[in-house]
Amino acid sequence: NARLSPQVGSHRDISLESLSLFRLLEPQIEILVLGTGDRVERLHPTMLKQMRECGIAVEVQDTANACATFNFLMNERRVVAAGLIPP
């Protein structure tokens, strides 16, 4: 059972469970842009690998750059979603 509105307050709260919503979207997204606040934070490599195995590339950036990347990818008509933690 996946929670559809995970509570993520910081990059430490990002887990495969909290990302499960993005795996359920239709059409399936190609790229998930994660904004981790004021700075880029490392996420667990296993979690990123599992997302790639589901066919979703994950781009981790600080939130300001994540917003810009999301907008760029949308303009390119890519199937993209964003998870953004406020700076």
Side-chain angles (χ1 to χ4, degrees), residues 55-76:
I56 301 172
V58 180
E59 181 70 34
V60 181
Q61 300 178 333
D62 63 83
T63 298
N65 284 313
C67 290
T69 298
F70 175 81
N71 288 334
F72 175 80
L73 292 169
M74 286 294 294
N75 285 334
E76 294 284 310

Side-chain angles (χ1 to χ4, degrees), residues 35-78:
T36 56
D38 286 325
R39 43 181 226 185
V40 179
E41 301 288 353
R42 288 181 45 106
L43 300 183
H44 198 282
T46 302
M47 182 174 40
L48 300 175
K49 181 177 183 260
Q50 288 175 321
M51 292 297 284
R52 279 194 310 272
E53 288 171 354
C54 293
I56 301 172
V58 180
E59 181 70 34
V60 181
Q61 300 178 333
D62 63 83
T63 298
N65 284 313
C67 290
T69 298
F70 175 81
N71 288 334
F72 175 80
L73 292 169
M74 286 294 294
N75 285 334
E76 294 284 310
R77 305 226 184 269
R78 303 291 296 271

Side-chain angles (χ1 to χ4, degrees), residues 6 14-24 32 34 43 47-48 51 58:
I14 299 172
S15 66
L16 199 57
E17 180 186 13
S18 68
L19 296 178
S20 64
L21 169 66
F22 297 107
R23 295 193 313 269
L24 299 174
L32 171 59
L34 292 177
L43 300 183
M47 182 174 40
L48 300 175
M51 292 297 284
V58 180

